Amino acid sequence: MYVNMKYLLDNANRDGYAVMAVNSVNMEMARAVIEAAEELHSPIIVQFGVGQMSKLAHPSEMVPMIKAMAERASVPVCLNLDHGPSLEAVVEAIHWGFSNVMLDASSLPFEENVRRSRMVVDLAHAKGISVEAELGHVGQAADGDDNRDDLYTNVAQAREFVDRTGVDALAVAIGTAHGNYPKGYVPKLDFQRLAELKAELKMPLVLHGGSGSGEENIRKAVAGGINKINVCTDAFHAAEDAMKAKWEEAPGTDYLNIMMTAEAAIKKFVKDYIRLIGSNDRYIFEAADNGSKE
Ligand code: 13P
């Protein structure tokens, strides 16, 4: 089923789990992600951003394909515009048929972030599309932004932001960052702040920069009220590692088979992650209680 993100994350918020949002840049990735979710009876979010669109994933091809995969899936699937940088990008995503849009005005002053987010909520909600915004700023791991607590989300501001914009989900900055951390490094997350944000907002919260965060951090973040986790870098690495290993083992592996290897690796990675964040078995009838009279 093709659904908006509000539906999917309100359920996750009510039942205390998180849904994975995987940046998917071609057919193989999108299919691997959706099949992994189906096999584990899990809701799932497929997403990509404007940089990925311009390199590989043009929405004119990607959106109809992902919608078709979603419609025939037995689990809820959302397609999210990741980090929409402008009103134009958001309006285009609505036009293409995304079921959720994220506006990222997190680098702008608070009032401007409110103004833009409010505008996007007005437009998107009129079309039944839900909205994610970001307050505080999740920066780049390569720049050490995870340690910059001046970028972390302020609880009182978050309350005001949500009240004034009406966003459906809020991306919060609590100590993760996008991309690769230095080798062996695990970020330190501000769980106290997360607890305060959740107690105040009681709404779906989003963690960006899920890659390289470490299993324990991710488990604790979900327990603390995170309902959506964005993962890009680690999903790409899963494919790259599997392709390298395959070519080492069998150097003559052709294009068809290397793409199949990548797809299988992404699917396994997503399944493991789904189990970690507890969204598995959310859409399943128990075998012992299927209501059948036969
Ligand atoms: P990572 O690449 O660090 O997983 O971040 C992905 C992300 O947050 C996309 O919005």
Side-chain angles (χ1 to χ4, degrees), residues 115-143:
R115 195 181 73 81
R116 293 186 186 202
S117 299
R118 174 75 245 172
M119 206 183 314
V120 168
V121 167
D122 277 349
L123 290 169
H125 281 187
K127 303 276 281 179
I129 294 161
S130 48
V131 177
E132 173 185 338
E134 178 169 324
L135 185 68
H137 181 68
V138 180
Q140 299 300 321
D143 299 335

Side-chain angles (χ1 to χ4, degrees), residues 21-23 47 49 52 80 82-83 102 104 132 134 138-141 176-181 206-213 228-236 269 273:
V22 192
N23 289 65
Q47 63 182 12
Q52 292 165 337
N80 174 42
D82 192 24
H83 292 284
M102 179 203 180
D104 182 357
E132 173 185 338
E134 178 169 324
V138 180
Q140 299 300 321
T176 56
H178 296 98
N180 290 308
Y181 296 104
V206 181
L207 188 73
H208 280 244
S211 296
S213 296
K228 171 186 183 238
I229 302 187
N230 285 16
V231 181
C232 178
T233 305
D234 279 354
F236 287 175
F269 168 75
Y273 211 98

